[in-house]
Amino acid sequence: MTKYQVLVVDDEEEICDAIEIYLKNESMTVFKASNGQEALDVLEHEDIQLILMDIMMPKMDGITATFQIRQKKNIPIIMLSAKSEDTDKILGLNIGADDYVTKPFNPLELIARVKSQLRRFTNLGSAQITEDEIQVRGLTLNKSTKNVAIDGNEVRLTATEYKILELLMENKGRVFSIEEIYERVWREPYMNAENTVAVHVRRIREKIEINPKEPKYLKVVWGIGYKIEK
């Protein structure tokens, strides 16, 4: 069994210690940091597979740290946010976070989300695919290398963004509801996740569309969901 290494970033020591107990019970190795700068330092020296990132922290907040991490790494990032930080939560998703958990969190929900992100991230390179490439006009997705390109130029996607795009491209022309996308990609029951899916779709559009406001590929079908145009 793979022993995952998880980085917990929060300036509240009690929260870090509690999360460490939950993760260690799942046989995960835990590294801790009290602000974004410390998190960046840990990432320089350790092979981390997932980050739990608080938003409000001294020295460097979670939004700034997430933005900097996304310049170099695509590992899953789950934001830890208070209920009053909804705007920051959406901003976090916009700049590259994969998911969020609201404080005070249910330990079972936290572990479920961690496992879901780890499973999705590690499975990206595990499956043997017979048909490597899916192409929709200038948009290409290689299921073997997990590369995405638009008009020959490589596009960097997070693990979650890749899985959404792969789902839609494998079923080009078919409309998927937000609920379907969430349950297929996150692999957990859909509960009030409209913003989560919408933000990820918006990020994908910003990366693959020349004009995200007039998309050629990733289309919205109002009142129903999303599809990749054939």
Side-chain angles (χ1 to χ4, degrees), residues 138-178:
L139 178 62
T140 305
L141 181 146
N142 189 305
K143 296 171 68 176
S144 178
T145 63
K146 308 305 173 189
N147 286 337
V148 174
I150 185 73
D151 297 326
N153 298 310
E154 187 175 349
V155 177
R156 292 185 57 139
L157 300 180
T158 67
T160 304
E161 291 165 3
Y162 175 89
K163 292 299 286 183
I164 292 172
L165 186 61
E166 181 184 48
L167 171 66
L168 297 177
M169 287 186 70
E170 282 184 325
N171 299 276
K172 36 184 188 287
R174 176 183 165 185
V175 180
F176 284 86
S177 68
I178 290 175

Side-chain angles (χ1 to χ4, degrees), residues 8-23 30-34 52 80 105:
V8 182
V9 190
D10 199 304
D11 61 325
E12 295 186 54
E13 188 175 347
E14 299 82 2
I15 290 178
C16 279
D17 291 344
I19 294 175
E20 180 179 26
I21 292 171
Y22 305 144
L23 296 178
V30 178
F31 294 85
K32 294 185 284 187
S34 61
L52 288 164
L80 302 174
F105 49 79

Side-chain angles (χ1 to χ4, degrees), residues 63-122:
I63 300 294
T64 303
T66 296
F67 180 77
Q68 292 196 25
I69 292 166
R70 275 292 172 259
Q71 307 308 302
K72 297 180 179 179
K73 298 178 181 289
N74 284 334
I75 57 177
I77 300 175
I78 300 176
M79 307 298 290
L80 302 174
S81 70
K83 287 184 178 178
S84 61
E85 296 166 354
D86 279 349
T87 302
D88 289 331
K89 196 158 53 182
I90 298 301
L91 178 58
L93 290 171
N94 268 319
I95 63 170
D98 295 280
D99 202 355
Y100 61 84
V101 176
T102 301
K103 299 177 185 177
F105 49 79
N106 180 318
L108 294 178
E109 179 191 0
L110 178 70
I111 293 301
R113 290 183 180 276
V114 166
K115 286 182 174 179
S116 175
Q117 290 294 335
L118 286 170
R119 187 165 56 243
R120 183 157 56 254
F121 182 66
T122 54

